[in-house]
Amino acid sequence: MIKTNCAKLNTWVKMWADIMQPEKVVLCDGSDAEFTRLMDECVAEGLAKKLDDKKRPNSYYFQSDPSDVARVEGRTFICSRKKEDAGPTNNWMDPKEMKKILIGKYTGCMKGRTMYVIPFSMGPLGGPISQLGVEITDSAYVVGSMKIMTRMGAGALKLIEEKNDFIPCIHSVGKPLPEGLKDAKWACAPIDDKYIVQFPEEHEIWTYGSGYGGNALLGKKCFALRIASKMAQEEGWLAEHMLILKLTKEATKETKCVCAAFPSACGKTNLAMLIPTIPGWKVETIGDDIAWMKFDEEGNLRAINPEAGFFGVAPYTSAKTNKNALDSCSKNTIFTNVGLTPDGDIWWEGIGYDCPKGTIDWKGNIVNDPASRDADENPVAHKNSRFAAPAANCPGIASDWESPKGVKVDAILFGGRRPNTVPLVHEAEDWAHGVFMGSIVGSEVTAAAIGLKAGVRRDPFAMLPFCGYNMGDYFQHWIDMEKLPQAKGGKNLPKIFFVNWFRRDKSNKALPAGFLWPGYGDNSRVLAYIFDRCNGQGETVDTPIGKVPAKGAINIEGLDSCWNEKTMEQVLSVNVDEWKDEVERIEEHYAKFAGHLPKELSDRLAILKQRLGM
Ligand code: O2Y
Ligand code: MN
């Protein structure tokens, strides 16, 4: 059994080892040597491949079971004591009932396996916004991935010992290994036997049956969003599904930090790592997925990235779309479900060069005729294939990305993929209006993507799968941030904007796929406008939905001629009929929250209706 100077940890590990009955228990130290040893053990057992050390130093390749390729929202539960406290957007089960089921599953679940004990910190070690956790797991892949994604090992353990406290995170792949049997390439339980469970009142996480991503790397979605959002509600801070970037105007060296929330598939990682197309501006990355924000003693709202790595979607990451992301996985990276080339490197659709003949696809089949392969129907890399890469590898990482006190937040952006209705950028009139904007975030999804009817899927604050309590109460918490004494009635809070890079005019054949805005690096033009607005500059026009840039306020110099003053007029336009329809959709969305919807938000909707003449 492990022996640390944290009595709570020793007792907790002993209790779980008695239940799970592993062959041995190992306390992880987080060292580079431990990473290499564990990954090499996976290679020796046939669970992983080491990539060519010259092309991709210290990097490993895993293929998951086809039933275990993504987060499973249908098997994710918020087990608050009262169902109402999980709210209308979460799956709920009574905590006692759930614990009974899971104790049954956990009993003997690690037979024949090693129980790894992973002490970790979300956020820089010892920082005022950081939090400590310990994950128990029977997956060496999880240990390796946690080493990349968190500050894991001896340093975190020392802090846990000093505090005698941590967030307990329990994980098992749910597949005991009978003596004498060879392990499966990727051990996991069948889909209906996977459980991703949060106990928000106890600040505990129990997951079972999946070894993949957010289901198994418990520091990420389970802790840093679902449990942390509940802690943030209790303690007066914010745990958000947001990237953090730092924008510098090179002429004056002035900087602004921006946090931005977008639903999946809206280019969050691309924005976090953007390379500006307008001269004189620099974007640096602080985080690509999660932001924790707290007021400091001077009354500044400060943000940290609680993670230490990027768990990025591989397909369509290329030197053209996101060079910084591609460079981030040049070494010390774990790849999952991408293609494996004959020369020991990785490949995925949209990487920017052809698939080498003889590549192994994510299912383990050889690709003999890459040219005849249908990238949509039968991709070489799974569409949710991933790289786990250290953030420190990113050429565009900001020098202060690990500052324990965080960076001052100047602006918050919300956005989604909206082919119509929503202009390129509009600005909230005050904090409550900004919260309203966050509460109505939605993104166009194709029917295939979600197995539901196509249309706008509302994803408030991009937190739909990640809010650890009633989403209506979460809206209220955002409203209440303005009432904290440090907020000085909103004076100390960031400005809020809504952006939409995806508005289209399909009838204009000159526009690529009808997009009224080029996106990618040209989003720096919108960031520059937001920077100016934070300084009280940049001309605006009032509309029923908020302030939009005046003609000429966004620099379009140097854009391809298909994007011009006329398309700018279109992309910034506010169409009253479209917004009347939007209001009806917002009313349907708000109805779900019933008595939990803050009055400030229904008031804001009433103002919008009145302005639209409804
Ligand atoms: O499918 C998974 O387990 C990963 S999901 C993910 C990974 C990195 C960043 N964001 C997400 C997400 O679903 O928002
Ligand atoms: Mn995410």
Side-chain angles (χ1 to χ4, degrees), residues 2 36 50 96 149 175 198 232 270 310 332 384 428 496:
I2 64 157
T36 305
K50 184 165 171 44
K96 284 204 187 96
M149 296 302 298
K175 192 121 182 146
Q198 285 70 207
N270 291 348
F310 308 127
N332 308 329
N384 194 38
I496 299 182

Side-chain angles (χ1 to χ4, degrees), residues 190-202:
I191 185 84
D192 292 343
D193 210 21
K194 297 186 201 290
Y195 290 84
I196 317 301
V197 180
Q198 285 70 207
F199 299 99
E201 286 125 353
E202 292 145 272

